[in-house]
Amino acid sequence: MTAVNLAKPQDLDRLVALVGDYHRETGIDQDAATRRAALAPLLEGCPHGAAYLVGPGRAPIGYVIVAFGWSVRAGGLVGRIDEIYIRSGVRGRGIGAEVLSTLPRALAGGGVKELSLAAPAGDDRARRLYQRLRFRPLDDQVTMTRTL
Amino acid sequence: MTAVNLAKPQDLDRLVALVGDYHRETGIDQDAATRRAALAPLLEGCPHGAAYLVGPGRAPIGYVIVAFGWSVRAGGLVGRIDEIYIRSGVRGRGIGAEVLSTLPRALAGGGVKELSLAAPAGDDRARRLYQRLRFRPLDDQVTMTRTL
């Protein structure tokens, strides 16, 4: 059973390092100061999201960031997996799937009614994995986004 | 210039009626008490979203609900159009588009870095409208969701 613990202010450096690894691996180009500023509030009680460290507290092997939002149709508070990352050296052992099956219970306990994520289109392996974890694809909608 | 005003606690009945119209029109099956409970917090300072009434305060012709969330990649606070509705009798006059071009300025002023929405897949008219309003389709991802 892999530990999944809410990250606290003293975990910031560890979290920043892991998020940097993820961003480098996926080609997200973000300077270190912006990244740190986007993560720190999540460890300090900001209501819009929470970060969880996966594995041993002092040597985490990954993280999950959940953003909180609202859906009238869903009846209130909802969550979205903003980022999930497992270090490459321990990948392929089902740790990510374990995290994604543990987390919904904890979130439901906190009043979250629905959890969503963005899967890469055309990645059938990821899609099947998420479907096994009871995520249903919303193929009838396309997310559109605008930078403000 | 159509007015777009943040809904306040005294607007709850007007908002509930409009949201009921929208849900009936789009086939969202939700009982009145659940709908009311999902709307009331948004008028009372809940950090997860805000409701705006479109048109005259005492006789609104529509509404927009914006949910607030967090994106590390976007650098912090983000918004999502949870629902937007313009009464059928005044539809087709560009009021929705006007709202969607006014709102980003107000949200940006409140620190929101990115605004997203879900467009119906295959609805080219809606897609073109949103693109004119500078929303970019994320065709490389599929939203997947799980009820908790």
Side-chain angles (χ1 to χ4, degrees):
Chain A
M1 180 83 189
T2 310
V4 179
N5 291 304
L6 198 62
K8 305 210 173 68
Q10 62 268 31
D11 296 315
L12 183 59
D13 287 340
R14 281 182 282 263
L15 181 63
V16 167
L18 284 166
V19 174
D21 290 346
Y22 173 65
H23 285 189
R24 267 183 295 280
E25 199 175 300
T26 52
I28 296 173
D29 184 23
Q30 183 173 57
D31 68 86
T34 306
R35 184 180 297 136
R36 200 175 179 89
L39 290 166
L42 303 179
L43 314 189
E44 288 159 4
C46 163
H48 301 300
Y52 300 85
L53 290 172
V54 177
R58 294 187 175 273
I61 56 169
Y63 70 93
V64 196
I65 289 166
V66 179
F68 299 114
W70 199 263
S71 159
V72 173
R73 186 193 40 70
L77 191 66
V78 294
R80 189 180 59 80
I81 305 282
D82 181 45
E83 296 187 355
I84 178 165
Y85 175 73
I86 302 295
R87 268 187 205 284
S88 56
V90 292
R91 220 170 285 165
R93 303 181 193 176
I95 297 171
E98 192 189 336
V99 170
L100 283 176
S101 71
T102 309
L103 206 57
R105 277 193 294 273
L107 294 174
V112 178
K113 295 180 187 302
E114 205 173 273
L115 183 63
S116 65
L117 54 81
D123 183 341
D124 290 341
R125 194 157 162 271
R127 187 183 176 106
R128 278 195 303 272
L129 168 67
Y130 294 135
Q131 282 184 311
R132 273 200 303 275
L133 293 163
R134 297 166 47 202
F135 289 86
R136 183 175 52 86
L138 303 182
D139 291 315
D140 59 345
Q141 58 173 242
V142 178
T143 298
M144 297 184 72
T145 187
R146 176 181 159 167
T147 302
L148 304 187
Chain B
M1 180 85 191
T2 309
V4 180
N5 290 302
L6 197 62
K8 305 211 172 68
Q10 62 268 31
D11 296 314
L12 184 58
D13 287 341
R14 282 183 281 264
L15 181 64
V16 166
L18 283 167
V19 175
D21 290 345
Y22 173 65
H23 285 190
R24 266 184 296 280
E25 200 176 298
T26 50
I28 296 174
D29 184 24
Q30 183 174 58
D31 67 86
T34 306
R35 185 179 299 135
R36 200 175 179 86
L39 290 167
L42 303 180
L43 313 189
E44 289 160 2
C46 163
H48 301 300
Y52 300 84
L53 290 172
V54 177
R58 294 186 175 274
I61 55 169
Y63 70 93
V64 196
I65 288 164
V66 179
F68 298 114
W70 199 263
S71 158
V72 173
R73 187 192 41 69
L77 191 66
V78 294
R80 191 179 59 79
I81 305 281
D82 182 45
E83 296 187 355
I84 178 165
Y85 175 74
I86 303 295
R87 270 187 205 283
S88 57
V90 293
R91 220 170 285 165
R93 304 181 192 176
I95 297 171
E98 192 189 336
V99 171
L100 283 177
S101 71
T102 309
L103 206 58
R105 276 192 294 272
L107 295 174
V112 177
K113 296 179 188 301
E114 204 174 275
L115 182 63
S116 64
L117 54 80
D123 182 341
D124 290 340
R125 195 159 161 269
R127 186 183 177 106
R128 276 195 305 271
L129 168 67
Y130 294 135
Q131 282 183 312
R132 271 199 304 276
L133 293 163
R134 297 166 46 202
F135 289 86
R136 183 174 51 86
L138 303 181
D139 291 315
D140 59 344
Q141 58 173 242
V142 177
T143 298
M144 298 185 70
T145 187
R146 176 180 160 167
T147 302
L148 304 187

